[in-house]
Amino acid sequence: MTALVPTTLLGVVETPRLGANPYLVDRDGRPYVPTATGGVVLGLRLGDGVFDFDADHAAPGVTLVHPDPAARHALTAFSCLGNEVVVRTGAAAGSTGRVLGKRGDEGRVIAVFAPDVLARMAPTDQVAIRAYGQGAPDSLNIDPAVLAKLTSPLSVRARVPSWLVGNGFGRPAPMWDLDVQVARADAAHWRLGDLLCIDDVDVRHNAGRREGWLTVAVVVHAASPLPGHGPGAMPILCGPAASFAVRVDPVDHVGVTPELLGCPDA
């Protein structure tokens, strides 16, 4: 295999944004304020439950963007789970974290840091990401060093059908996550960082249904009341179902942890 090439990317800590009307409408027609949708999110960490917070698409750590649309697309597409993130400006300059994932809505990268680092970070702080991993033939969105730590058979929290996928279908998987439309009663045990197996989904190009294939994804943001949305899972592996050894472990599953990412304090 030809060697992958690392690239240094610039990301800017996002400022949360709302329209003139702060309310969205949930699947039952009730208005709600979509808190924790971006920026520096405090008090939320890997391992927390996806339904533990009264929030919308809440992700741990910070969300990163870029003011130039083309650079933002590259930032989202090239960043991979486990890539190192170095804070370059602001009160937390010199601190390091790791990429957890990405989510849609024009493209955002999610990066986790230790709580004391997050407390010093602010919107408009700049970070550098050592992007590495995209372009590998058998995976996507994951640093090879993190991929090597995943054992076979691959433990997943749950195995879900393709028809549960909402937002994210029809989108390019290197720049988007897949929202899984699940209810609290069915997924109260899901955690941020969990691995999921999604049956009959092919994400090699634009994400869509392909019978007999499966996608393994990492849960990178929490639930959402918005119709068509839910806990967001970033794809990392995809192929014919027969080529995967997957073990569903709803109780003792351990997914992506700070230790696995090489950022044990996050």
Side-chain angles (χ1 to χ4, degrees):
M1 170 182 141
T2 303
L4 300 174
V5 179
T7 305
T8 299
L9 304 172
L10 172 67
V12 179
V13 178
E14 181 182 30
T15 298
R17 296 172 298 168
L18 286 175
N21 184 339
Y23 295 100
L24 295 178
V25 178
D26 71 12
R27 58 180 54 87
D28 295 313
R30 295 184 293 256
Y32 71 95
V33 177
T35 58
T37 57
V40 182
V41 178
L42 306 173
L44 185 66
R45 302 185 70 180
L46 279 171
D48 287 340
V50 298
F51 286 98
D52 284 358
F53 298 88
D54 187 10
D56 185 35
H57 292 83
V62 301
T63 50
L64 305 172
V65 294
H66 194 286
D68 176 71
R72 182 169 179 167
H73 293 160
L75 172 72
T76 309
F78 297 158
S79 297
C80 289
L81 173 71
N83 289 166
E84 184 180 56
V85 184
V86 181
V87 184
R88 294 298 190 188
T89 64
S95 302
T96 61
R98 298 282 174 169
V99 171
L100 171 64
K102 58 193 74 176
R103 54 167 295 204
D105 190 13
E106 301 179 12
R108 292 178 169 116
V109 172
I110 302 164
V112 294
F113 295 86
D116 65 305
V117 176
L118 288 175
R120 300 196 305 273
M121 295 183 73
T124 74
D125 284 352
Q126 295 184 3
V127 308
I129 298 176
R130 183 183 181 274
Y132 184 65
Q134 211 68 290
D138 299 320
S139 64
L140 70 163
N141 298 327
I142 185 169
D143 191 300
V146 176
L147 180 61
K149 297 177 183 179
L150 301 180
T151 59
S152 183
L154 193 61
S155 171
V156 298
R157 178 72 73 183
R159 191 164 188 161
V160 299
S162 61
W163 54 263
L164 283 179
V165 177
N167 186 45
F169 256 7
R171 306 285 190 172
M175 302 174 68
W176 217 272
D177 63 317
L178 303 176
D179 276 20
V180 186
Q181 303 172 96
V182 289
R184 182 190 300 268
D186 299 318
H189 60 300
W190 289 17
R191 304 287 169 188
L192 292 167
D194 279 353
L195 299 180
L196 303 177
C197 176
I198 309 175
D199 285 324
D200 299 321
V201 169
D202 179 2
V203 297
R204 294 173 301 160
H205 310 295
N206 277 9
R209 176 179 166 81
R210 183 182 292 268
E211 191 168 346
W213 283 59
L214 63 78
T215 289
V216 175
V218 181
V219 177
V220 297
H221 71 68
S224 170
L226 199 63
H229 293 255
M234 180 185 70
I236 57 172
L237 296 168
C238 177
S243 66
F244 281 89
V246 174
R247 182 183 73 250
V248 179
D249 192 348
V251 177
D252 297 322
H253 169 69
V254 177
V256 174
T257 64
E259 291 75 19
L260 185 74
L261 289 180
C263 189
D265 296 327

